[in-house]
Amino acid sequence: MEESGGEDSVPPALDKSRVLSVRPLRCLVPIFASTPNFPSYFHPQAAAPIVCNPPTTPFPAGFSPFYPLCVSPNSQNMQIPPQPPPPFGFGGSATIPSPVPFNVLRAEANGDAGPSRRSSRGLQPLQSEEDGSSDGIHVTDAEDSTRGTTAQKRRWAGSSQDMNVPTSDVETDALVENILESFNLMKFDTFRRADGDKESVQYILLIYDLLRRKISQIEDSKESTPGVTRRPDLRAGTILMNKGIRTNIRKRIGTVPGVEVGDIFFFRMEMCLIGLHAPSMAGIDYMGLKVSQDEEPVAVSIVSSGGYEDDSEDGNVLIYSGQGGHAYKRGLETTDQKLERGNLALEKSLHRGNEVRVIRGVKDIANLTGKIYVYDGLYKIRESWVEKGKSGSNVFKYKLVRISGQLEAFTVWKSVQQWKDGSAARVGLIKSDLSSGAENIPVSLVNDVDDEKGPADFTYYPTLKYLKPVNLTEPSTGCSCQGGCLSSNSNCPCIQRNGGYLPYTANGVLISQKALIHECGSSCKCPQNCKNRASQGGLKVRLEVFKTKDKGWGLRSWDPIRSGAFICEYAGEVIDISMAEELRVENDSAHVFYASSTNQPGQFMPGVSIESQKNPFPLIISATDSGNVARFMNHSCSPNVVWQPVLRENSKECDLHIVFYAVRHIPPMTELTYGYGIVPSDKAHQRKKKCLCGSVKCSGYFY
DNA sequence: TCCTCTCAGCTGTAT
DNA sequence: ACAGCTGAGAGGAAT
């Protein structure tokens, strides 16, 4: 299969440096070369029965060789079988006629085309699935002037009247235009023709996150005004909403095209934009459903986020509290909840028996003030009742039960929690820490598919080894930011090297991919927790090397990973091109990473032109004999991870690293993959391998 | 105009 | 470090 035609046509180059270097996370190019007789100076020591050696240096020599434990290969499989989702369409399942009409909502009695209210505002009658077949991305600039609240208009209209308007609005506007311009290179029509809506959903989330991080970057670079709450999430969301860059606008019962059970989100706005849950704050989303002549509200999705006294008996049952009655302000007392709005819709859905999407909010371990939203699939409401809440007021309660046969989602989170606190054993565990302490967080080795005891022999080494020193063309001096580098400090040389901005957001998320990221390093005086050292300090998430069904060993994470987050670097020995060629010829299973100057056009960023970036220090790394978790990452034609060259300031020698970041939010236990890319060699075709990534965009092979 | 299971940043409290 | 509070917020339903 060849690359889809839409991507091959590279649009005219865009001056991306005009405002800011706005470049989505993309894919560069490593290779696999090979050799059995690896030159002895690389790593001579090899213990025969050992699957994985602990590191020799600089870690303590008193290690014990690793002999894999015998774990029953018949152990229970944690893998989620890739079964197709059952037909969840509304109407197929038995529906219970609603016995009690609640006439709270005006019924559109004449059964005409629609309510008299504007369709975008009022409850939207359910349409047949066929009607909404072209629900791709909507781009409607015409809505710009008509949509938006007065508050919004005030905020975006001009800065002279409102002191709260950030002074960077001009800058932000330019940024928005720049980003959207680069995305407009993609023909939306072409894009809409793509199979399903998964692409459009991923695409919108990608644009949203890029925009949000960029706004955040600009905000960070300014002096902070006390008392002013910055909400880059809301600003990015509003912009995209107003531009009509959203999908699944029409509300629907049941599954949302392009959203899979288990998908995770970090902001409520993300779920608004892709049509999973429309309200930006409220927990219950509902719509008008035409029943013969009348229209009644039915619930379509809920967010269980801890704001009320919800209860989850087990992972498949949820006791959800109705809305309202909350004492939002101090001094106010709670009141009895009323059977209206969302509560009424839930009641109606109980009788109607329609599926309700459930999104569960869980605490984000990486960012304790934050929350992660897990789409947990479809539930049905089984019971409802009224009870006295803690404050003594009446609260509606709804018991929701998960429909069986769906992919695991929330229960995966629960399992991971149990593995972590030791209350449950990880099935198929071969070794609890593959790195033998070399990493600050253990790396599990797991096989729950067959009886192979581990990957081929290698030495775990967590960072890059330069066999011979590489001279710097320009010595770098580093910064002297005592309290850590700040974007607002324009005098910081490290900030300047990155084009005047910190390349990371305040919580360590890479803002956008660049030819080279300049991090602080050994020649800087800033502390280790400096924001400009996001790729330093070792692993942040709990990783697991596991046996895949058909691709050998792979890598995945117990923890959720947010888009742009650091995952790991590619560790190993830096070799030169001739060594790489030897390896390639001699060993078919060698692990060699080649940071080439030849880029493959963005596979998962359709339409975005990737200009050929000259990597200032093209690195070749062999992880054949020694390396870290990165060597286990498999190739995919629609990867969720990218690599990025990162240079750490160092006055003595070259300190370049290849670092992996997430390109989208990655749910727990999802395999981590990146695009291996094109081999810059005329003999590349000899190394072509059949690709098993299973992506709809699979090119059929990789190198 | 009103409603709402937001979210970042601040303050106060327990380590 | 963490819990709790504050308040400006967003889209969309209600009026």
Side-chain angles (χ1 to χ4, degrees):
Chain A
M1 198 192 304
E2 56 183 0
E3 298 281 337
S4 67
E7 298 160 44
D8 289 341
S9 54
V10 179
L14 175 80
D15 182 10
K16 291 180 177 165
S17 60
R18 187 159 46 91
V19 178
L20 284 169
S21 174
V22 177
R23 203 170 296 118
L25 298 173
R26 60 169 161 74
C27 186
L28 300 177
V29 190
I31 60 161
F32 266 175
S34 6
T35 150
N37 302 321
F38 204 80
S40 58
Y41 52 82
F42 280 130
H43 236 302
Q45 63 151 99
I50 295 176
V51 172
C52 170
N53 293 330
T56 47
T57 58
F59 302 95
F63 60 81
S64 55
F66 161 50
Y67 294 91
L69 306 170
C70 285
V71 176
S72 165
N74 300 324
S75 51
Q76 200 182 332
N77 192 339
M78 275 304 299
Q79 287 275 81
I80 301 158
Q83 49 194 319
F88 284 130
F90 179 72
S93 50
T95 56
I96 306 157
S98 64
V100 190
F102 294 93
N103 291 319
V104 170
L105 288 164
R106 277 172 299 143
E108 300 296 331
N110 56 12
D112 222 74
S116 53
R117 286 156 283 173
R118 275 178 298 164
S119 62
S120 63
R121 291 295 163 98
L123 292 170
Q124 299 171 14
L126 181 71
Q127 299 162 9
S128 66
E129 283 300 317
E130 298 87 276
D131 288 349
S133 57
S134 65
D135 245 11
I137 291 184
H138 289 248
V139 183
T140 45
D141 285 334
E143 291 188 6
D144 278 6
S145 54
T146 57
R147 293 183 61 88
T149 63
T150 48
Q152 249 169 43
K153 284 170 185 160
R154 210 183 315 121
R155 235 171 306 121
W156 292 93
S159 52
S160 58
Q161 296 174 353
D162 190 338
M163 294 309 287
N164 283 336
V165 170
T167 52
S168 72
D169 261 9
V170 175
E171 197 177 3
T172 311
D173 288 348
L175 159 75
V176 169
E177 286 310 311
N178 187 240
I179 287 182
L180 296 180
E181 196 179 324
S182 69
F183 277 95
N184 279 342
L185 292 173
M186 177 199 71
K187 299 279 186 288
F188 277 94
D189 287 342
T190 308
F191 186 53
R192 202 182 300 195
R193 263 188 271 118
D195 289 345
D197 269 9
K198 176 154 191 175
E199 255 183 293
S200 58
V201 164
Q202 287 192 354
Y203 203 82
I204 286 167
L205 293 176
L206 209 61
I207 298 175
Y208 173 78
D209 218 54
L210 179 65
L211 191 56
R212 188 186 56 76
R213 290 188 300 228
K214 280 289 180 183
I215 292 173
S216 176
Q217 184 182 45
I218 292 176
E219 293 288 334
D220 285 347
S221 71
K222 296 182 301 183
E223 299 291 335
S224 65
T225 323
V228 175
T229 311
R230 293 171 181 159
R231 296 291 299 270
D233 58 318
L234 296 184
R235 294 186 69 185
T238 309
I239 291 165
L240 294 189
M241 279 283 186
N242 289 341
K243 292 274 181 193
I245 300 176
R246 53 189 295 194
T247 192
N248 294 318
I249 293 175
R250 180 176 61 82
K251 288 196 182 184
R252 68 197 73 211
I253 294 170
T255 53
V256 174
V259 184
E260 290 177 10
V261 175
D263 282 355
I264 61 173
F265 308 92
F266 285 75
F267 296 94
R268 289 287 299 260
M269 235 357 141
E270 293 177 314
M271 296 186 283
C272 296
L273 288 168
I274 61 165
L276 182 63
H277 187 86
S280 56
M281 291 179 75
I284 306 168
D285 192 10
Y286 54 101
M287 63 182 275
L289 181 61
K290 273 227 162 108
V291 186
S292 63
Q293 296 289 297
D294 296 339
E295 187 179 295
E296 65 178 25
V298 289
V300 294
S301 64
I302 58 167
V303 176
S304 171
S305 193
Y308 288 76
E309 298 160 20
D310 291 346
D311 189 20
S312 189
E313 296 172 15
D314 65 50
N316 294 314
V317 178
L318 173 67
I319 308 298
Y320 190 76
S321 306
Q323 63 185 193
H326 232 270
Y328 289 102
K329 290 198 172 121
R330 226 231 301 254
L332 287 181
E333 295 200 349
T334 58
T335 55
D336 288 347
Q337 292 185 345
K338 299 193 185 79
L339 192 60
E340 58 184 28
R341 299 171 186 271
N343 299 344
L344 177 62
L346 286 170
E347 192 66 36
K348 288 285 188 183
S349 288
L350 164 65
H351 296 300
R352 189 150 279 284
N354 66 286
E355 299 116 345
V356 176
R357 297 186 294 272
V358 169
I359 297 125
R360 292 173 180 262
V362 294
K363 210 155 69 167
D364 182 0
I365 341 111
N367 173 21
L368 288 187
T369 60
K371 222 175 267 176
I372 300 176
Y373 298 95
V374 185
Y375 173 47
D376 199 29
L378 302 178
Y379 282 62
K380 283 197 178 186
I381 308 170
R382 296 295 186 202
E383 290 176 51
S384 73
W385 65 93
V386 177
E387 66 181 44
K388 291 275 181 216
K390 275 182 191 163
S391 54
S393 306
N394 286 342
V395 176
F396 285 101
K397 293 283 180 178
Y398 300 90
K399 180 179 181 183
L400 291 101
V401 178
R402 193 165 193 258
I403 296 171
S404 59
Q406 302 181 87
L407 297 177
E408 274 195 88
F410 184 60
T411 47
V412 173
W413 290 68
K414 288 199 140 188
S415 299
V416 168
Q417 193 50 50
Q418 291 175 331
W419 302 337
K420 283 186 171 178
D421 65 25
S423 60
R426 176 81 182 93
V427 171
L429 185 74
I430 296 172
K431 188 170 171 62
S432 57
D433 186 11
L434 181 69
S435 83
S436 304
E439 301 283 8
N440 48 6
I441 297 178
V443 177
S444 308
L445 178 63
V446 172
N447 184 351
D448 54 11
V449 298
D450 59 29
D451 53 5
E452 192 178 340
K453 296 301 179 219
D457 182 20
F458 80 105
T459 301
Y460 199 100
Y461 191 80
T463 186
L464 217 49
K465 230 186 284 187
Y466 284 87
L467 295 181
K468 37 189 173 183
V470 178
N471 290 329
L472 282 176
T473 45
E474 299 171 30
S476 65
T477 46
C479 68
S480 50
C481 304
Q482 297 289 344
C485 301
L486 295 170
S487 248
S488 52
N489 178 11
S490 53
N491 294 325
C492 168
C494 300
I495 298 290
Q496 286 169 358
R497 282 188 198 97
N498 284 303
Y501 292 93
L502 258 182
Y504 300 103
T505 63
N507 46 17
V509 167
L510 180 68
I511 286 163
S512 64
Q513 202 171 23
K514 301 171 81 168
L516 185 63
I517 297 284
H518 293 266
E519 282 194 1
C520 296
S522 59
S523 59
C524 296
K525 297 200 173 58
C526 60
Q528 274 304 307
N529 65 0
C530 171
K531 298 291 179 214
N532 197 27
R533 294 175 183 263
S535 78
Q536 303 170 36
L539 299 180
K540 302 283 194 297
V541 291
R542 185 73 163 79
L543 295 172
E544 167 181 295
V545 172
F546 73 108
K547 184 73 189 289
T548 64
K549 282 202 181 66
D550 50 7
K551 294 183 291 185
W553 297 89
L555 185 68
R556 63 188 172 192
S557 168
W558 288 11
D559 297 320
I561 305 174
R562 77 189 290 169
S563 178
F566 162 78
I567 295 173
C568 63
E569 74 167 292
Y570 198 102
E573 294 155 331
V574 176
I575 59 176
D576 62 31
I577 187 71
S578 60
M579 295 173 184
E581 282 297 306
E582 281 181 52
L583 269 171
R584 182 183 67 74
V585 172
E586 294 163 7
N587 182 354
D588 192 46
S589 60
H591 294 73
V592 177
F593 181 97
Y594 189 89
S596 154
S597 60
T598 318
N599 297 328
Q600 189 161 344
Q603 293 151 314
F604 48 92
M605 285 302 302
V608 175
S609 79
I610 307 292
E611 71 250 55
S612 191
Q613 290 283 340
K614 196 82 181 162
N615 184 345
F617 310 94
L619 269 188
I620 305 175
I621 306 167
S622 169
T624 309
D625 288 349
S626 65
N628 68 347
V629 287
R631 73 198 288 280
F632 293 105
M633 251 189 287
N634 285 311
H635 164 84
S636 171
C637 296
S638 54
N640 51 20
V641 174
V642 280
W643 60 272
Q644 159 76 56
V646 172
L647 185 65
R648 297 176 190 155
E649 296 307 323
N650 190 318
S651 55
K652 298 188 188 78
E653 55 190 1
C654 178
D655 203 1
L656 181 68
H657 299 261
I658 299 299
V659 181
F660 290 90
Y661 300 90
V663 268
R664 50 174 175 262
H665 304 328
I666 306 174
M669 305 304 284
T670 303
E671 181 172 8
L672 307 179
T673 55
Y674 67 101
Y676 284 0
I678 299 167
V679 179
S681 158
D682 54 351
K683 290 176 183 163
H685 62 278
Q686 294 175 3
R687 276 170 285 161
K688 212 186 258 189
K689 292 177 183 171
K690 188 167 183 286
C691 183
L692 300 169
C693 76
S695 157
V696 289
K697 306 196 69 195
C698 181
S699 58
Y701 55 86
F702 67 96
Y703 298 95

